[in-house]
Amino acid sequence: MAIMKKSLKTPSKLNEVHRYDQCNFLVLCFLQKLLEECAVINTSINDLIDDSVLKKTLLQLGMPKHLLTSKELLGKQHCLWIEKQVSQVNAKQLTCQNYYQNLNTLAKQTNNPKLYFRLYLFSYLKLMSEPFNDIADELASEYQDDATATFILLRAIGVTDADIQSIATGKHRDDNSISSLLTNNDESIHSAQYSHINVNIFLSRIELPNKYLEAIKTIKELSSVEALIRHCYQLNYETKLQPKDFSVEQFMPLYQYLDDAISFKKQGVNILLHGEPGVGKTELVKTLAKALNCDLFDISHSHDEYSQDNISKTMVNEIERTQAICGQLKNIIMFVDECDDFFHENPLSGRNLRKYQVNQLLENTPIPTIWVTNRPYSLEDAYIRRFDMVLEVTSPDAESYERKVRQLSRGLRLSSEFIAHICQHKSLSIAHIEKAIKVTKTFYLTASDAQEQITVLLNGYLNVGGYKKLQIQPVNRLLEYDLTLTNSIGHDLKTVQKGIHRLGESRILLYGPPGTGKSAYAKYLSKDLGLPLIMKRGSDLLGAYVGETEKNIAAAFEEAKDKNAILLLDEVDSFLNSREGHSKSWESTMVNEMLTQMETFDGVFIATTNFNQKLDHAVARRFDFKIKLDYLLPAQSLKMFKQFVYSSSKGTREQLLKLNNLTPGDFAVVARKCSLLGKIDEDSVLVLLQQESVYKQPLAKPIGFVIA
């Protein structure tokens, strides 16, 4: 920019910028350049800029007040002060600022980098520096036409009248270069062709879109215009939902039509989604974009402090500008939320677009666009007819609803009962539940604590709306599954869990005494992974007729595939015992069917048994992990006992450590007994545990003769 050419030719005498921000130093350079240009044509700057504006500007730039008491502003004293301040500026330090480098990068992608950089910097300073904007407005105003002021301003910023005419008339336009980011009253300066333009009006109205300013100011080394657009518009569509979480009738038509439109680069593709607030319209759009491997650009109107009153016109220009810049990008879907602000005919909200302008926008859009509204009745039929598809998004069925919540709450270990409980509340939407889960995850809570926190958050929504609140479900904390309270032999359960997170599949055989937590581990994984659990016992699969068991085995695996669920086969030894002892062919057929299904299943399969030695060896070899869950270690028993009685005597602890056959299941039984008896004290809990331990010990066989 010309204002820096002479003022910042030499290295700084100071390494640090002390009193001014970098924008204000550029304003000082600009003032110095104005003074020089005025001297060339023998004009006083006081004749071009009002004294009150000059005084205010100089005060904002830090000029001492005693200098501002003189009659002549910007006299010799003032010029010496400005020159001194500018001499202390490190040019390299200024040019290394994020905004300066980013504007330079963006300008390089136009067909006239030098010209556009100067205009970008001029527009940026007008928005970011009040002193600069005040001076620029004095020199170039659409309400006055002072040729000298305009000439001085053009000279100061290093731009000519011919440069501006070439931009306005399209002479600098190149199909291979990216359009300028500059706007004129929020309309792209390239959106219309002129034979001639008033330079004063051009300079007074030209600006960079407000949406870009923060990115230009803060991003370090912005790489391109595309990177800027992606930063400002690209929606993070990270969603834990999958296509199967939506009804086929809703998802597939949208997916197929958009896939075709993107593949063949069709123009004028517009889809309108409507429905009650919170039914999942935005999540549906995110899931569609993810399934189509597309980037989602959110161009919804934002009510920021700079936004203009004319909402419709602002949105049209925003859409057209984004379309023009993103037209060359592949796999893009544009998303407009709350689009009724755009379509609704309400002059009081600044609406003055004509219908043909809106229709033209819909018919010519080069990028598929999804419009979302909660109020479809606010759109006239003339607009509705322009949409290729109009689809109402409704609340999912109970099973899909719960599956969505299970996916969203992955890692919180919410119980199936709790998920069903919150999903059944008619006044809670998926949006309410999603936000409550998102907040709860920041507290690093799990199980009952997470459930209580989610209930509190959801009740906050319900209370404001005047709806019936959720009841906090009583949860026995002693029954919560804790990996540190399992005695696994062979492999660490936590390590296996991480592996399943990474690969999404595994075949696990859990064996050991009853009550050691085999089935509970499957339930724990189900909550942690956010996957449903299908549990089958051996008695569920054994059929009365030949071939029926094989069909039941195949059906169990098929169901798990369809529902993307964890399959748990409990008491698997009841029908998968070794084929060496089989006397009937159908007994071997059952084992063969299990082997076939295990080989082709790509999900999480868990089998449990108390008698692993009975299992067929070929079946056992198919498991990735064979893990024994044994009786609790002494330290684990003490830890579980502490959940009942925080402080216990040394004698009680010594008695507890003698019980070497306790399991988490025993503590769960004791917890229920304590609830029924209405007392939890040190002696009572110890006695109950001793009873459980004795019960599991084998009865002593009598020695000698027994007299009948």
Side-chain angles (χ1 to χ4, degrees), residues 457-472:
L457 292 171
L458 291 176
N459 280 339
Y461 293 120
L462 295 171
N463 186 47
V464 170
Y467 303 112
K468 182 180 179 182
K469 291 202 250 182
L470 287 165
Q471 296 297 316
I472 296 180

Side-chain angles (χ1 to χ4, degrees), residues 319-336:
I319 293 169
E320 289 179 339
R321 184 167 58 244
T322 310
Q323 288 173 344
I325 295 175
C326 301
Q328 298 176 356
L329 303 182
K330 295 180 179 179
N331 297 344
I332 298 289
I333 294 175
M334 295 179 74
F335 168 58
V336 185

